[in-house]
Amino acid sequence: MDRLKIGITCYPSLGGSGVVATELGKLLAEKGHEVHFITHSIPFRLGTFQKNIFYHEVEVNDYYVFRYPPYDLALATKMAQVAKMQGLDLLHVHYAVPHAVCAFLAKQMLGNDIKVVTTLHGTDITVLGQDESLKDLIRLGINESDAVTAVSQDLIKETRRVLDITRDIDLTYNFVDKRVYYPRDVTDLRGDFANPDEKILMHISNFRPVKRVSDVVDVFAKVSKEIPAKLLLVGEGPELPKIQAKINEMGLEHKVRFLGKQDEIAQVISLADLLLLPSEKESFGLVALEAMACGVPTIGSQAGGIPELIQHGKTGFLAPIGDTTAMAKYAVKLLSDEGMTEQFRKACLERSCNDFSRDSITNQYEDIYYRVLGRRVLGMDTIRG
Ligand code: GMT
């Protein structure tokens, strides 16, 4: 068994990139690899103690002369230290800024004796990559990595366009673990949020401007004029106060519930009949995949990688960014037709299992590791269940 020692760095406390990195690390550990998380705090999805998983905390030196304690340098140093002490084969960093450049620095400190794989997740390219003060740094991190992966074809295209990158980039879609994401029986819970005749629409995000949560409210307002419905908003972020104010102004407060941040996403999503994801930018849309695996279709915008995930008229519907009238029309069409709802639900379950399974995507990452290390794949353990 060619067991690898892998260092993983990600943002441990928020967002889809941290979720993907942590879930991947857990699955690699289950397959028998040794995984070392190198992050500033314990990744929130890490869960209980597991075989083959280790955690190394990045501690920032706040010596009094530093006006801004240098986190990036502390991370690079920690990566090099852990790599040396643990004999790591490679560093896999998630989200280009600043992680790719930190890994490059660590590699220099180690005399090139380690490989670096960088996974691009979205806003590291589509937002930060557009920032002139960061562009050259991000390009350096990408070009100096031994392999680069991105979570959609669209993100690969954007990386080439925004940063003028010509090197190979592997496609590694987001994935779901079917042991966690499956339709949960939430019959009892549902009664707390909606009457039996009401449909539940849901939006889950970090309430940043790119998510266009205001469009969610507009879509819901239009839908609830046609059919009895409730809106559940999950997550928190900078736009939340504005959204709360908008809901009150529109007199929708009795039909909308704010659930705040939630950990048990599969349980929460299973409450919904429909997910709304009208983002301005969305490299993939992990939450729509999680919903799909729970049998919940999504109405999304034609932004970024969303069309690679949601098949229009099969597992959801797509509309131009900002076209809340079209989104509402699709929502009403789907929610008022029981036959169509059931058909979409089945298609969602099939597609999430067949095209975005944890096994196939974990294998893709493993193949990339072996490729950069110039090793052959020998039989590893399989993931159970
Ligand atoms: O959606 C966010 O704002 C969080 C962000 C992150 O970096 O954690 O998510 C990005 O990475 C996810 C995992 O690869 C993707 O599924 C999301 O689509 C992507 N978000 C954006 O592109 C806005």
Side-chain angles (χ1 to χ4, degrees):
M1 182 176 96
D2 199 356
R3 181 174 199 244
L4 300 178
K5 292 189 174 190
I6 305 158
I8 293 186
T9 294
C10 63
Y11 285 103
S13 51
L14 65 147
S17 56
V19 172
V20 169
T22 310
E23 296 297 338
L24 174 65
K26 282 158 55 177
L27 294 170
L28 290 165
E30 239 185 281
K31 292 190 85 174
H33 300 293
E34 196 175 296
V35 176
H36 295 261
F37 283 95
I38 309 168
T39 48
H40 61 68
S41 50
I42 294 195
F44 72 109
R45 285 278 183 101
L46 203 52
T48 49
F49 178 70
Q50 256 195 51
K51 197 177 146 190
N52 295 332
I53 291 195
F54 304 88
Y55 164 64
H56 309 273
E57 186 174 325
V58 179
E59 276 167 287
V60 177
N61 184 329
D62 61 356
Y63 191 57
Y64 78 99
V65 295
F66 295 140
R67 180 158 174 209
Y68 303 107
Y71 169 72
D72 309 352
L73 300 183
L75 173 60
T77 310
K78 192 76 183 187
M79 283 171 165
Q81 280 170 354
V82 174
K84 212 175 196 171
M85 259 175 53
Q86 306 289 341
L88 298 187
D89 296 296
L90 62 95
L91 294 167
H92 185 176
V93 298
H94 293 259
Y95 208 86
V97 198
H99 303 152
V101 168
C102 296
F104 170 59
L105 269 181
K107 185 173 174 169
Q108 299 290 305
M109 288 181 228
L110 293 162
N112 275 327
D113 195 18
I114 194 154
K115 299 291 179 191
V116 173
V117 177
T118 297
T119 293
L120 309 174
H121 281 275
T123 47
D124 42 357
I125 302 299
T126 58
V127 177
L128 299 174
Q130 316 256 11
D131 182 335
E132 288 302 329
S133 68
L134 290 172
K135 230 176 190 167
D136 290 340
L137 188 84
I138 300 175
R139 192 182 294 112
L140 174 77
I142 290 176
N143 282 331
E144 292 297 333
S145 299
D146 295 286
V148 176
T149 89
V151 299
S152 62
Q153 292 284 7
D154 184 77
L155 186 57
I156 296 178
K157 202 179 82 205
E158 280 300 284
T159 307
R160 300 207 184 292
R161 188 185 68 78
V162 173
L163 294 170
D164 217 3
I165 298 281
T166 53
R167 62 162 300 151
D168 283 349
I169 302 176
D170 291 283
L171 173 66
T172 47
Y173 281 129
N174 290 175
F175 57 89
V176 268
D177 190 334
K178 65 174 189 226
R179 294 170 299 187
V180 181
Y181 289 93
Y182 59 89
R184 305 288 184 93
D185 181 0
V186 286
T187 324
D188 290 349
L189 207 55
R190 206 187 141 101
D192 289 347
F193 296 99
N195 297 325
D197 64 323
E198 287 175 323
K199 298 293 178 189
I200 295 184
L201 284 77
M202 186 177 281
H203 173 76
I204 306 179
S205 79
N206 50 21
F207 286 67
R208 302 208 162 264
V210 287
K211 301 291 177 184
R212 294 184 71 101
V213 188
S214 175
D215 285 3
V216 170
V217 179
D218 288 336
V219 172
F220 176 72
K222 290 178 174 123
V223 172
S224 68
K225 277 188 189 147
E226 305 281 328
I227 51 176
K230 288 273 165 63
L231 174 65
L232 304 188
L233 293 171
V234 186
E236 283 179 356
E239 297 280 285
L240 189 58
K242 234 165 78 181
I243 298 302
Q244 273 168 327
K246 178 169 175 146
I247 287 165
N248 292 341
E249 270 163 35
M250 293 173 87
L252 291 170
E253 61 273 30
H254 305 301
K255 295 184 175 180
V256 183
R257 293 279 295 273
F258 292 91
L259 271 58
K261 289 189 183 178
Q262 295 290 335
D263 270 348
E264 284 287 324
I265 288 299
Q267 189 86 358
V268 176
I269 293 182
S270 295
L271 285 169
D273 296 293
L274 184 63
L275 187 85
L276 297 175
L277 189 65
S279 311
E280 179 98 38
K281 295 176 192 293
E282 198 68 66
S283 65
F284 181 84
L286 178 60
V287 71
L289 174 58
E290 291 171 341
M292 196 185 271
C294 295
V296 178
T298 295
I299 292 186
S301 54
Q302 287 154 346
I306 296 179
E308 293 171 55
L309 171 65
I310 298 166
Q311 298 158 298
H312 182 72
K314 263 186 166 179
T315 56
F317 286 105
L318 299 168
I321 298 168
D323 191 345
T324 55
T325 305
M327 290 179 194
K329 204 182 80 197
Y330 288 132
V332 172
K333 180 175 158 161
L334 180 61
L335 295 174
S336 28
D337 182 337
E338 269 183 31
M340 189 189 269
T341 307
E342 191 45 34
Q343 221 178 314
F344 272 51
R345 182 184 148 80
K346 278 193 188 136
C348 280
L349 295 175
E350 257 176 49
R351 180 157 164 80
S352 60
C353 262
N354 295 343
D355 300 342
F356 304 100
S357 78
R358 56 155 209 241
D359 295 318
S360 63
I361 310 289
T362 309
N363 289 346
Q364 281 173 26
Y365 279 113
E366 253 182 328
D367 288 348
I368 293 165
Y369 299 159
Y370 288 122
R371 189 183 77 217
V372 298
L373 290 164
R375 295 199 205 160
R376 273 189 332 114
V377 185
L378 302 173
M380 292 297 298
D381 295 349
T382 47
I383 301 163
R384 264 179 269 136

